[in-house]
Amino acid sequence: QRTTRRGIPACSKMMLEREQETQAEVRWEDQQRINRFSRLVTKVGLLKEEIAEKESQLRAAEDTEEEFLMSDEETIMFQMGEALLHLAKDHAEEMVEEQKTLLRRELDEMNQRKADIDHEMTELKAQLYAKFHDTINLEEEEEEELDIQALLKEIEDIDARK
C-alpha cells in the first residue's frame, strides 16, 4: 500500500482532500445568499397560494358568465360582497367581464413576479451549489399531499377487498 510522506495511506489522503474541498468556509456573503434564498422560497410559496386563489376566482367569474348566457331573465341577482343586487343582465355581464379582465391582469403580474423570483432562486442555487457542492440542500421537500394520496388509495383498496 502506497503512503504519503506523513505515513497516511494515499487513498486516505485523496479522501481527506475531497472532504476538505466540500467543507468550504461559510462567509458572510454566503450566509446572506442562503438567507435570501430562504426568503424567496417563502415568498414563492405564498405567491403560489395567491395565484391559486386568483385562478379560482377567475373560474368562478367564468362560471357566472356561463350562467348568465343560459339565463332568459332580463334582471339577474348579482352578489357583491355580502349584498345581493338586482341588475340588468347586460350590466351584470359587463361587471363580470371587467372582473375577469382585472383577475387576468393580476394573474399575469403575479406569474411574472413568480418567474422573476424563480430566476433569482436559480442563480442563487447555482452560486451556492458551486461553492458548497452537496453539503447544502436547496431542493424543496416533496409535499405531504403525495402521502395523503397514497393513504387514500390504500383505504380505497382495503374497502374494495371487503
Side-chain angles (χ1 to χ4, degrees):
Q1 182 175 3
R2 286 186 26 189
T3 60
T4 63
R5 281 186 240 160
R6 295 183 183 164
I8 301 171
C11 65
S12 294
K13 183 179 181 216
M14 288 182 0
M15 289 172 60
L16 284 172
E17 288 172 356
R18 284 189 192 145
E19 193 173 309
Q20 289 169 349
E21 283 177 13
T22 59
Q23 291 183 358
E25 179 183 337
V26 179
R27 294 197 171 112
W28 184 83
E29 298 85 14
D30 302 323
Q31 189 61 53
Q32 294 307 307
R33 286 186 186 110
I34 293 167
N35 293 345
R36 176 72 180 152
F37 186 85
S38 177
R39 286 190 302 272
L40 291 175
V41 166
T42 302
K43 189 182 277 189
V44 82
L46 293 172
L47 201 50
K48 284 178 182 178
E49 290 175 11
E50 290 176 25
I51 288 171
E53 178 63 29
K54 290 291 179 192
E55 288 172 341
S56 175
Q57 291 174 5
L58 181 60
R59 280 191 301 276
E62 290 169 345
D63 291 345
T64 301
E65 186 176 53
E66 286 178 27
E67 291 291 326
F68 288 168
L69 291 173
M70 292 189 292
S71 174
D72 293 336
E73 305 286 325
E74 288 300 315
T75 60
I76 293 180
M77 288 190 56
F78 190 80
Q79 183 174 357
M80 288 186 80
E82 301 279 325
L84 285 174
L85 306 172
H86 287 278
L87 298 174
K89 183 177 178 180
D90 294 340
H91 185 63
E93 288 172 346
E94 287 175 20
M95 289 178 68
V96 169
E97 191 58 41
E98 288 173 10
Q99 182 69 16
K100 284 175 36 185
T101 301
L102 177 66
L103 288 168
R104 284 188 183 114
R105 188 177 321 123
E106 289 174 351
L107 270 169
D108 289 344
E109 290 170 3
M110 292 170 132
N111 283 319
Q112 183 58 51
R113 276 194 316 220
K114 183 183 171 304
D116 293 344
I117 292 171
D118 287 340
H119 178 73
E120 184 177 354
M121 287 174 64
T122 300
E123 288 180 358
L124 286 169
K125 194 182 282 191
Q127 293 169 359
L128 292 166
Y129 276 132
K131 179 162 185 180
F132 298 107
H133 308 283
D134 61 350
T135 60
I136 189 168
N137 181 11
L138 302 173
E139 302 306 317
E140 291 185 49
E141 294 179 16
E142 290 186 34
E143 295 194 19
E144 293 182 27
E145 281 184 42
L146 298 175
D147 295 335
I148 292 170
Q149 290 175 354
L151 288 173
L152 288 173
K153 183 164 177 27
E154 279 185 48
I155 292 169
E156 287 174 6
D157 292 343
I158 291 169
D159 288 344
R161 284 185 235 147
K162 288 181 180 179

